[in-house]
Every structure is written in structure tokens, then in C-alpha cells.
Amino acid sequence: MNAKSVTIHPEEIQVDFIRASGPGGQNVNKVATAVQLRFNVFNSQSLKPEVRQRLLRIAGKRVNAEGDLIIEARRFRQQQRNREDAVQRLLLLVEKASRPPKVRLKSHPTISSKIKRLNNKKKHAAIKKLRGQVSMEE
């Protein structure tokens, strides 16, 4: 299985079929159509260390203490379509993690924006100065 720059070996993925809630009528109680995909992020030989760290951060609560990334797919009524959906979602996560984050470049305010900010501060200070206590002599 490929995600543009990363290849995941099929033996690293464990797929279990479970009973699903949702569409299917009485069939839902008899047939295990939902898919629970498990991919161990900690022990994966397919991932580089930096991709592994980003994947753990992106996956969040979907990763358990043992390092298993758990994806449940129950959108469709067919087992095969749910399996394909779960694998596709895994590949999207790995692809997202394989792209390094953009480096933020510091920006600087323009001279005109600095002048405008200072002028607004002076106007606001003048307004607040007028709010002072009034003496009896005035």
C-alpha cells in the first residue's frame, strides 16, 4: 500500500471485522461488516522516525498505549468497502504525516502601519485624558 512517498507493508496492518450499528436492518445483528484496522506505529519498519512522530501527533486519541493506530470503518454495508475505506483513511493519515510542516517566516509591520498604530494610541490617550476628575473651579 502506497501513500505517495511512503510504502506500508500489508503484514503491518491487522484487520478485524466487527458488528456495526447503522444501516442494514436485521442483517446488522448477524453479519460483522464493520472494520477495525490496527497499525502499530511504534514498531513499523515502513515509517521514518520523523514521519512516525508526526503521525502520532496527527492521530491523537486514535493511538493506544501500545502504539496501535485504530481506525474503525462502518460507513458501508459491505465488508470489503469498509475495509477499503479504513485502508484509505490510514493512507491519508500517513501521507499527511509524511509532508513536513511549513516553516513560518517572521513578518514585520510596515512603516505606515506603525505610524497609524501610534496615531491611534495618541487619539485614544487624549480621549481618556478628558475623562479625568472635574474640579469645582471649572
Side-chain angles (χ1 to χ4, degrees):
M1 286 162 228
N2 280 337
K4 290 183 183 174
S5 62
V6 177
T7 302
I8 297 175
H9 301 292
E11 54 272 3
E12 292 184 348
I13 297 174
Q14 177 188 349
V15 178
D16 297 318
F17 298 103
I18 56 176
R19 288 188 182 160
S21 60
Q26 292 179 357
N27 200 42
V28 132
N29 301 325
K30 297 184 289 184
V31 182
T33 55
V35 172
Q36 189 177 59
L37 182 142
R38 291 175 175 269
F39 174 69
N40 194 302
V41 181
F42 292 166
N43 299 327
S44 174
Q45 300 298 316
S46 305
L47 302 176
K48 296 177 184 173
E50 61 271 8
V51 174
R52 183 177 294 126
Q53 290 301 318
R54 284 194 293 266
L55 181 59
L56 289 170
R57 190 176 67 245
I58 291 170
K61 292 181 180 178
R62 288 177 282 192
V63 178
N64 62 17
E66 291 83 39
D68 289 335
L69 170 61
I70 301 171
I71 297 175
E72 288 191 5
R74 58 184 68 199
R75 191 182 324 180
F76 303 105
R77 289 176 64 169
Q78 293 91 15
Q79 223 179 46
Q80 186 58 32
R81 287 182 70 189
N82 280 330
R83 186 179 193 282
E84 291 167 1
D85 183 42
V87 170
Q88 190 63 34
R89 285 168 38 197
L90 172 65
L91 290 176
L92 284 174
L93 277 173
V94 172
E95 181 183 328
K96 188 174 179 181
S98 65
R99 281 182 262 140
K102 289 184 180 178
V103 178
R104 185 186 179 279
L105 299 175
K106 288 185 179 180
S107 59
H108 301 285
T110 61
I111 294 173
S112 64
S113 68
K114 287 180 182 178
I115 292 170
K116 195 183 292 185
R117 182 181 62 85
L118 291 174
N119 286 339
N120 284 338
K121 283 178 73 169
K122 285 178 186 174
K123 284 181 190 175
H124 199 255
I127 290 169
K128 290 184 85 162
K129 194 172 191 176
L130 291 174
R131 291 185 196 154
Q133 289 183 346
V134 179
S135 64
M136 296 301 272
E137 297 164 3
E138 293 181 14

